[in-house]
Amino acid sequence: MVALHDLVDLDRYPLHEPEGAAYVAVVDRARAQLADTGCALNKDFVRPEAVSVLAAEIESNKVDTHFSRQDINPYFHTEVNPDFPPDHPVNTFIERSSGFIPGDSWEPGCANEVLFRAPEVARFLADCLRIPELHCYADPLAGLTSNILDPGQQFTWHFDTNDFAVTVLVQEAEAGGSFEYIPAIRSADDEGFDRIAAALAGDRTDVVSLDLRPGDLQIFKGRYSLHRVTRVAEASRPRHAAIFAYTEQADVIGRVERTRQLFGRVLPEHEAAEIARVRGDALLD
Ligand SMILES: O=C(O)CCC(=O)C(=O)O
Ligand SMILES: [Fe+2]
């Protein structure tokens, strides 16, 4: 089986020595970036040879991708809300066309999974995010995924519903497919609708285009920062990113509706979790 040191450049990112000064320096840099822009970019986190392995695994699992195309508002909704004017962000719907390789597609022990499940990686991410501990998202479909943008596809402006996202770009598009974001365009007590409306209409003020390269590990706080992946050019190769989902609580499973939206199906685990949520316990009848 692949080991962590085969995958991560431990000279640059000494995840195996969390007490050392080098580790602390790397974490401090990520913390500063997160505080500043909500985005920490860990360049060349994955070794170049390992990036090829991650890419080959994604390529071979790509047949399992669930592609979907919806016109969404920044809040991931698709329906008009009559409480808001027609030109309001809530009623501005733009194309999201992309696909996800689901969590049950990966060979156990494959490189993508080893990287996702390595306790050292979860420890590092928790330290960067100043969270006591992180667990791999227990959702059987949404825990370990790959976001696929084929030529002509785009993932339009949106906010994430989770507090942070962890991404490794594995294959970059030659044209288009760039990650763009507007730091802190909203906050817990300010929706920021005016600036959001301007951004959706094409205003580039405050748009940051991230210099993301294959092997880079991105930690992104997407609750307050509007972000998108621009359209991959028709003549380009596809853009493939590995997406690692973690939760602060253990054993979290995603909602049925959202799972259907992204993966086109649900598993018995999702149905059971939904019933337990309604009842407030997981007991049989
Ligand atoms: O593929 C990416 O880099 C991130 C896409 C994204 O924003 C998301 O899946 O919420
Ligand atoms: Fe997102």
Side-chain angles (χ1 to χ4, degrees):
M1 200 166 99
V2 250
L4 187 65
H5 62 81
D6 297 323
L7 301 174
V8 176
D9 183 343
L10 293 179
D11 294 330
R12 254 177 109 159
Y13 298 93
L15 306 196
H16 58 308
E17 291 169 349
E19 310 299 331
Y23 179 89
V24 172
V26 168
V27 167
D28 281 350
R29 190 185 56 197
R31 284 181 173 180
Q33 290 180 15
L34 283 167
D36 192 27
T37 63
C39 183
L41 187 55
N42 299 280
K43 300 293 294 175
D44 300 312
F45 184 84
V46 178
R47 295 178 177 283
E49 319 82 71
V51 175
S52 313
V53 178
L54 299 179
E57 290 175 1
I58 289 175
E59 197 62 57
S60 81
N61 287 349
K62 196 167 168 176
V63 289
D64 297 336
T65 306
H66 176 71
F67 284 103
S68 59
R69 197 211 129 121
Q70 288 176 313
D71 290 340
I72 58 164
N73 70 12
Y75 317 98
F76 257 95
H77 299 150
T78 55
E79 304 292 331
V80 168
N81 183 335
D83 298 340
F84 293 89
D87 59 351
H88 191 277
V90 166
N91 285 324
T92 305
F93 303 93
I94 309 178
E95 173 191 341
R96 178 195 69 82
S97 46
S98 79
F100 288 99
I101 296 176
D104 59 353
S105 173
W106 310 93
E107 268 319 304
C110 73
N112 277 280
E113 208 190 57
V114 168
L115 193 57
F116 170 53
R117 298 204 180 278
E120 296 90 340
V121 172
R123 169 81 267 141
F124 172 66
L125 294 168
D127 286 340
C128 294
L129 287 156
R130 299 173 183 270
I131 290 172
E133 61 177 13
L134 283 175
H135 304 266
C136 291
Y137 189 18
D139 191 289
L141 297 180
L144 171 61
T145 62
S146 174
N147 190 20
I148 306 288
L149 271 80
D150 270 347
Q153 296 186 319
Q154 69 168 11
F155 203 131
T156 191
W157 294 113
H158 66 282
F159 295 103
D160 291 343
T161 49
N162 40 358
D163 286 338
F164 65 91
V166 178
T167 306
V168 175
L169 185 66
V170 168
Q171 176 173 294
E172 67 182 334
E174 292 121 323
S178 22
F179 186 93
E180 295 187 340
Y181 68 109
I182 305 179
I185 199 170
R186 71 171 180 178
S187 64
D189 49 21
D190 179 7
E191 286 277 9
F193 286 139
D194 290 347
R195 287 176 68 206
I196 295 170
L200 298 180
D203 183 359
R204 303 283 300 165
T205 313
D206 302 325
V207 172
V208 180
S209 188
L210 193 67
D211 181 25
L212 191 62
R213 292 293 154 85
D216 295 352
L217 174 88
Q218 177 194 3
I219 310 172
F220 183 67
K221 297 185 86 163
R223 270 294 298 133
Y224 300 136
S225 297
L226 192 69
H227 61 284
R228 69 169 175 179
V229 181
T230 64
R231 194 181 296 282
V232 173
E234 289 290 352
S236 170
R237 74 167 86 86
R239 176 189 190 270
H240 297 164
I243 314 263
F244 302 156
Y246 300 89
T247 52
E248 291 191 54
Q249 307 291 324
D251 305 322
V252 180
I253 304 246
R255 307 300 301 247
V256 162
E257 195 191 328
R258 179 73 163 210
T259 305
R260 277 225 175 81
Q261 192 181 15
L262 293 178
F263 299 99
R265 64 191 163 105
V266 297
L267 297 178
E269 290 95 316
H270 297 102
E271 310 272 17
E274 203 84 349
I275 291 166
R277 248 179 231 120
V278 172
R279 288 199 189 128
D281 67 50
L283 299 172
L284 291 176
D285 288 317

